[in-house]
């Protein structure tokens, strides 16, 4: 009996170690573009610490929810999801610290707040990549089955929000978001909003991607309003929050703010759509 328990314990430990290794790979792959982006290094240095801390606090519930739907190992209760969320953040933090050190972006002669700020900011996309590693790099069929069992309308909206946050975060720190909004007229903004909403709906329901959602017996209008419009609204709210977090909205007029939100809402909407296909 003791031998059987010992073997079971060793098997569980080996499974968790394999999940952590896969999470580390996911953290590197998903976060690499931002780890090598100058704006992210600068933000880690001068970003308002309250906004950074709030962003980290917002990320933790997102990781908890992602663990529930598609964590880097199978979970059975909320305590497991909490442990996975904290583990994913720890993996993201350590991978970010290691790579930023190798890239000479983080050095021991720098002030401690600067070091922590740079690593903490990069740990957000890295931790999301660590959490999604199981689905993308590992046991896809099990994750698909688990997601079908657990999914619900609030769950679908959460997944769209998580996707919008991740993709929007990849471009929100860049100056190009504001530059594009300055170049656009109100008609350009309207056209981009319509395009974003249309692509979100098409990506999820129309073109036949793997993992695409089925509208079931619901009519087009019901599905369009409940999922596509709601998803785009979530993408816009997240875009506005990201612009505020990275201090991109100071001094903007209301029209400039709306246009900047719509501009960032384009990649965020695509992230919302693709999250429902890949998570």
């Amino acid at each position: 009996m003791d031998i059987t328990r010992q073997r079971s314990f060793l098997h569980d430990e080996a499974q968790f170690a394999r999940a952590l290794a896969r999470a580390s790979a996911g953290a590197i792959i998903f976060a690499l573009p931002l780890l090598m982006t100058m704006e992210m290094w600068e933000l880690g240095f001068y970003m308002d610490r309250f906004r950074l801390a709030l962003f980290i606090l917002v990320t933790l519930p997102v990781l908890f929810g992602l663990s529930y739907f598609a964590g880097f190992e199978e979970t059975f209760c909320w305590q497991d999801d909490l442990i996975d969320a904290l583990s994913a953040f720890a993996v993201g933090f350590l991978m970010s610290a290691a790579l930023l050190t190798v890239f000479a972006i983080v050095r021991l002669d720098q002030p401690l707040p600067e070091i922590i700020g740079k690593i903490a900011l990069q740990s957000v996309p890295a931790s999301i990549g660590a959490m999604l590693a199981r689905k993308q790099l590992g046991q896809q069929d099990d994750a698909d089955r688990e997601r079908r069992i657990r999914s619900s309308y609030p769950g679908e909206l959460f997944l769209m929000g998580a996707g919008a946050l991740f993709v929007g975060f990849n471009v929100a720190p860049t100056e190009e978001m504001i530059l594009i909004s300055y170049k656009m007229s109100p008609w350009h903004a309207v056209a981009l909003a319509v395009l974003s909403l249309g692509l979100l709906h098409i990506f999820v329901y129309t073109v036949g991607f793997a993992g695409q959602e089925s509208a079931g017996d619901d009519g087009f209008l019901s599905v369009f309003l409940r999922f596509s419009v709601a998803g785009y609204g979530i993408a816009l709210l997240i875009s506005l929050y990201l612009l505020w977090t990275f201090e991109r909205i100071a001094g903007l007029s209301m029209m400039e703010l709306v246009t900047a939100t719509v501009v960032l809402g384009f990649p965020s909407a695509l992230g919302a759509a693709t999250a429902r296909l890949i998570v």
Side-chain angles (χ1 to χ4, degrees), residues 148-168:
R148 284 196 297 268
I149 293 173
R150 295 181 174 185
S151 63
S152 62
Y153 179 64
E156 294 286 353
L157 295 182
F158 167 79
L159 290 178
M160 286 194 284
L165 176 65
F166 179 75
V167 177

Side-chain angles (χ1 to χ4, degrees), residues 6-18 73:
Q6 184 177 9
R7 287 178 177 175
S8 177
F9 175 78
L10 291 175
H11 175 74
D12 291 342
E13 290 294 305
Q15 287 287 96
F16 186 70
R18 189 178 300 113
E73 65 170 353

Side-chain angles (χ1 to χ4, degrees), residues 64-85:
F64 181 87
L66 287 175
S67 175
Y68 179 76
F69 288 104
F72 60 79
E73 65 170 353
E74 189 173 1
T75 59
F76 302 96
C77 60
W78 70 266
Q79 291 92 339
D80 290 343
D81 291 319
L82 178 60
I83 292 173
D84 272 10

Side-chain angles (χ1 to χ4, degrees), residues 109-127:
D109 60 347
Q110 294 173 338
L112 184 60
E114 179 181 349
I115 294 175
I116 294 176
K118 289 179 178 179
I119 297 174
L121 185 58
Q122 296 282 3
S123 66
V124 173
S127 61

Side-chain angles (χ1 to χ4, degrees), residues 224-247:
F224 184 74
L225 292 176
R226 293 175 61 243
F227 289 99
S228 301
V229 173
Y232 185 54
I234 292 172
L236 289 177
L237 288 175
I238 289 175
S239 298
L240 180 60
Y241 171 67
L242 289 173
L243 290 172
W244 175 81
T245 297
F246 298 131
E247 303 179 44

